């Protein structure tokens, strides 16, 4: 004697929580009315039916894992690429202060967001500080002493660094799009992977700065890379090891 029954598969709902440092995927199970092999005979290979159900679960797990990996690759974006930073906490009276990292140093690991957005810290001294990972958008850091500072992976778009001294600083993988470095000293700094797109580099000094060939080519495309540093007297374009263009007569 044979009989039939309907096999119901459990669906997997995917919830992706987007975080600044990546993504985490969570799977919640809930019954659904999606049949798999809707009709099967009670006496026809129950082991095969179990194997098919296991296969479906594995495919779902693989699909979820793929989404999680894709999300983790796409989410760590800068503010210019659409990543939304949290609102500035203007109730924190100690927010606009230079503080050493208590954690990962050049890896920019922090136990909380190091937020220096829109801070006026001009003329201060940050020599030797570790401010890696700081959010410095639209801040005023004109004339700050950044000698020997570690500021890897900072977000510093549209900030003011005019006349600042970055001698011997580690500034790799930073984003300085649209910022101003007029008259700044960046001698013997580590600049590999940093982005100076649309930054004003007039009268700056890049003597002995370390950067890769690709970074150097992009830096040399900046039309503001001109003038002479008022402190060191170095020719700005020559200090960045850029080709000197002689105007045609």
């Amino acid at each position: 004697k044979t009989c039939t029954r309907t096999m119901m598969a459990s669906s997997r709902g995917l919830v992706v929580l987007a975080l600044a440092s990546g993504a985490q995927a969570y799977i919640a199970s809930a019954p659904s009315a999606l049949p798999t092999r809707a009709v099967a005979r009670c006496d026809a290979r129950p082991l095969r039916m179990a194997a098919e159900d296991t296969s479906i679960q594995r495919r779902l797990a693989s699909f979820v894992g793929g989404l999680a990996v894709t999300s983790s690759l796409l989410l760590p974006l800068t503010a210019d690429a659409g990543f939304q930073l949290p609102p500035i906490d203007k109730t924190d009276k100690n927010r606009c202060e230079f503080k050493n990292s208590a954690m990962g140093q050049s890896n920019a690991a922090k136990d909380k967001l190091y937020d220096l957005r829109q801070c006026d810290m001009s003329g201060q001294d940050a020599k030797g500080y570790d401010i890696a990972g700081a959010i410095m958008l639209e801040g005023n850091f004109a004339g700050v002493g950044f000698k020997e500072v570690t500021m890897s992976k900072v977000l510093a778009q549209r900030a003011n660094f005019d006349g600042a001294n970055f001698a011997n600083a580690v500034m790799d993988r930073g984003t300085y799009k649209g910022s101003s470095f007029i008259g700044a000293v960046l001698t013997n700094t580590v600049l590999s992977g940093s982005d100076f797109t649309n930054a004003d580099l007039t009268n700056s000094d890049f003597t002995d700065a370390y950067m890769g060939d690709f970074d150097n080519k992009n830096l040399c495309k900046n039309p503001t890379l001109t003038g002479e540093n008022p402190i060191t007297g170095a020719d700005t374009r020559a200090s960045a090891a850029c080709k000197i263009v002689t105007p045609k007569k």
Side-chain angles (χ1 to χ4, degrees):
K1 183 179 179 180
T2 61
C3 61
T4 61
R5 64 179 178 177
T6 301
M7 301 296 297
M8 306 298 290
S10 64
S11 66
R12 306 283 180 175
L14 174 65
V15 179
V16 176
L17 300 180
L19 302 177
S21 60
Q24 295 178 341
Y26 297 87
I27 305 172
S29 298
S32 71
L34 298 177
T36 63
R37 298 287 184 180
V39 179
R41 295 184 180 277
C42 296
D43 57 350
R45 301 179 185 177
L47 293 177
R48 179 181 177 183
M49 291 162 56
E52 290 175 350
D53 187 60
T54 301
S55 177
I56 292 172
Q57 294 180 12
R58 287 177 177 173
R59 288 198 297 271
L60 282 169
S62 177
F63 173 73
V64 168
L67 283 178
V69 171
T70 301
S71 299
S72 66
L73 292 174
L74 294 178
L75 284 172
L77 304 176
T78 65
D80 283 349
F83 177 76
Q84 297 298 317
L85 293 169
I88 297 174
D89 183 7
K90 295 187 177 181
T91 64
D92 184 358
K93 297 181 180 180
N94 299 319
R95 184 176 66 86
C96 294
E97 295 179 357
F98 288 119
K99 304 171 186 176
N100 275 311
S101 169
M103 297 183 68
Q105 298 184 7
S106 62
N107 286 324
K110 293 284 187 293
D111 52 0
K112 63 180 294 187
L113 185 69
Y114 190 10
D115 192 357
L116 298 178
R117 284 176 290 174
Q118 300 179 12
C119 288
D120 185 357
M121 305 176 74
S122 57
Q124 295 189 31
D125 187 12
K127 181 179 179 180
Y129 273 76
D130 169 20
I131 59 172
I135 312 299
M136 307 171 76
L137 281 76
E138 301 176 347
N140 182 10
F141 307 98
V144 171
F146 285 112
K147 287 184 178 181
E148 302 172 11
V149 74
T150 297
M151 50 192 301
S152 303
K153 297 183 180 179
V154 300
L155 292 181
Q157 298 94 315
R158 302 177 299 281
N160 182 1
F161 295 104
D162 292 350
N165 191 335
F166 297 93
N168 305 318
V170 178
M171 303 171 64
D172 62 309
R173 297 165 290 174
T175 303
Y176 304 98
K177 293 181 179 179
S179 293
S180 182
F181 288 83
I182 297 175
V185 175
L186 299 98
T187 56
N188 199 39
T189 56
V190 178
L191 300 173
S192 54
S194 290
D195 189 349
F196 290 90
T197 302
N198 296 325
D200 191 342
L201 306 177
T202 305
N203 298 334
S204 55
D205 183 1
F206 288 88
T207 300
D208 295 327
Y210 174 82
M211 66 189 85
D213 291 340
F214 181 78
D215 300 320
N216 183 253
K217 288 179 181 178
N218 285 334
L219 185 70
C220 292
K221 292 177 182 178
N222 190 311
T224 68
L225 202 65
T226 59
E228 181 180 290
N229 188 270
I231 299 175
T232 66
D235 180 275
T236 295
R237 189 166 183 84
S239 72
C242 298
K243 182 179 179 181
I244 305 298
V245 179
T246 304
K248 296 181 180 179
K249 295 182 179 180

